[in-house]
Structure formats: structure tokens, C-alpha cells
Amino acid sequence: MHILTIAIFLVSLIFNSYSADKALKPEQYPFSFSKPLGKIDKNSAQRGLQVYVEVCASCHGLKHVAYRSLEGLGYNKDQINRIAAQFQLNDLPNDEGEILKRNAIFSDYFVEPYENYNAAKAANNGAYPPDLSLMVKARKDGANYVRSLLLGYTDAPEGFDVGEGYYNKYMAGNVIAMPQPLYGDDVEYKDGTKASLEQEVNDLVTFLTWTSMPDLENRRAAGLKVIFFLFIMTIVFYLSYRKIWSELKN
Ligand code: HEC
């Protein structure tokens, strides 16, 4: 190939990637877990679970999360069975060979919203609603990104063609196939918290951070122990160094 053709091709590649990625950087929000030793706010995560179940679960799966792991958010087994019973899945074939639905229970994983990938795409104008279990880890600055995205729906600027999608400042390319899912007052919180848009989004992101990193607190606690241990050992080694050398010098 002619060298000039290659050069033009490369330059156009660079320009394309610029124009495709004109998303705003996510707004930084001080979540309970943002600080180095911060924890997941369990009450907030419980409210976030409610938002997921009542709003997002009709399109997005959470297939890596088992209902029983909700114990980590402070629920007991009965409460978890009640949460799971809001979802139905195919039972094993009965004696007549029919497959009936049954309520999900403690030991199941979150039930998928669609029978399969193609059904999910077909129901959403050809765009697949990705599984949310690991979404906060999968995107750069994930917690802030998901928060900004859910708050980032605005009217498209003059002359901007969104096709069959919706305008969103934080989405790569500024067009997203997901209609704005939250407006505020989408749920009635069981603990009486006011369900403003911002509250719902913060709770939801706290919940999705927990699903992505359920062991976050343990890891941080372990890290702290290691640092404490190294600190003590530094003192021990320093004192023994002093001791050994003081004897050798005499
Ligand atoms: C009506 C179906 C529907 C509902 C309800 C819905 N979504 Fe989506 N969502 C989609 C589709 C479709 C996409 C794929 C968008 C695309 O690729 O343009 C998507 C994409 C996403 C993404 C990924 C964006 C990216 O960076 O690729 C996130 C995060 C997300 N949704 C979160 C949520 C949350 C949280 C809720 C609940 C508050 C929710 N969605 C409710 C259909 C839905």
C-alpha cells in the first residue's frame, strides 16, 4: 500500500476515536466507600437493592450474585427468601414433562430478565442491556460513572441526531439506547427515606459497588493489618539493628 494511504488511514483512525469518545468525565461524588478505609453504607445498599429490583431488573440481570449473598447486606434467610420470591424462573420438568415457573429461593442466583441474549436485544431496539453484577468494576471510575450516567440525561443539542437512542453527556458517543430509567419517586423506600432522584441513584450505585466488590471491607481491613504488622516489624528490626551494632562497635 502507498505510504500516504497508510498515513491518512492512521490519522483518520485517531480522529474517529476522538469524535466517538466525547463523553464528559464522571462527576466525583464522596460515597461512603470512596475514602481509602471507607465502608459500604449497608442501609444505602439495601435501598439500592430495592431500586434495582423494582426498576432495573426488568431489563438488566445480576447473574453473578446469589440471593443468599444478600446476607452480607444484613438480611436474614426469611427476608432473603421474600426478596427472591419476587423473581420467577423455569422449574425442572414435572411428571408430565411440562416446565412450569417457580419462585426463586435463597440458594438461586438472581434470575435473568430475558430468556436469552437475542430476546434481550430484540426487546431493546437491538441494544443488549449488560449484566450489572460487575458493572462498577468494568467501567473506568465505575461508581462515579454509573452515577453520572443515570443523572446525565438531557435534551440533545440543536442538530444532534440521536437516532433511536437518547442523549447522555456521559455515554461514549453521547447516545445511549437505554431510556432514562429513574426520575425520582420511582420507588417507595421501606425505611421512609425520601426517594429523590439523587438519593435513588446514590443508593443504587452503593448497591452495585457491593455486588462488584462484596469483599471490599475485608480486603481493606486485611490491608490495614498488614500495614500495622509492617510498622511494628520496622520498629523491631530497627531496635535489633541498634542492639547488634552497638555490641559490634564496642
Ligand atoms: C427498558 C430497559 C432498561 C431499563 C429499565 C434499564 N436499562 Fe440500563 N440499559 C438498557 C440498555 C438497552 C442498555 C444498553 C445501552 C447501549 O448500549 O447504548 C443499558 C445500559 C446500561 C448501562 C451501561 C452503560 C454503558 O456504559 O455501556 C448501565 C450502567 C445501566 N444500563 C444501568 C441501569 C440501571 C442502574 C437501571 C435501573 C435504574 C437501568 N439501567 C434500567 C436498558 C435498560
Side-chain angles (χ1 to χ4, degrees), residues 233-247:
M233 288 315 274
T234 309
I235 296 175
V236 170
F237 284 134
Y238 179 69
L239 292 179
S240 56
Y241 153 87
R242 289 270 300 253
K243 179 102 182 35
I244 291 165
W245 281 91
S246 68
E247 278 165 18

Side-chain angles (χ1 to χ4, degrees), residues 51-52 55-60 114 120 123-124 127-130 132 135 139 145-146 149-150 153 171-172 175-179 181-182 204 208:
V51 179
Y52 168 76
V55 183
C56 322
S58 54
C59 295
H60 289 278
Y114 300 101
N124 287 284
Y128 179 72
L132 295 182
M135 181 54 73
R139 295 286 181 274
Y145 169 72
V146 174
L149 186 79
L150 294 174
Y153 285 85
M171 182 72 179
V175 179
I176 185 163
M178 166 169 75
L182 293 172
L204 192 109
L208 292 181

Side-chain angles (χ1 to χ4, degrees), residues 60-89:
H60 289 278
L62 210 54
K63 66 178 173 200
H64 299 295
V65 183
Y67 294 109
R68 64 181 143 73
S69 60
L70 293 173
E71 279 185 331
L73 289 184
Y75 292 105
N76 63 34
K77 198 170 172 181
D78 286 343
Q79 290 170 317
I80 293 175
N81 273 325
R82 276 202 294 278
I83 293 168
Q86 296 172 272
F87 295 82
Q88 283 70 42
L89 69 165

Side-chain angles (χ1 to χ4, degrees), residues 117-182:
Y117 181 80
N118 289 356
K121 275 180 70 168
N124 287 284
N125 269 333
Y128 179 72
D131 190 87
L132 295 182
S133 322
L134 300 170
M135 181 54 73
V136 164
K137 263 214 304 228
R139 295 286 181 274
K140 195 172 156 215
D141 195 9
N144 286 314
Y145 169 72
V146 174
R147 179 178 177 276
S148 299
L149 186 79
L150 294 174
L151 296 174
Y153 285 85
T154 52
D155 289 335
E158 275 288 307
F160 187 100
D161 182 15
V162 293
E164 296 200 347
Y166 305 86
Y167 187 77
N168 190 303
K169 295 179 280 188
Y170 296 96
M171 182 72 179
N174 290 162
V175 179
I176 185 163
M178 166 169 75
Q180 179 169 349
L182 293 172

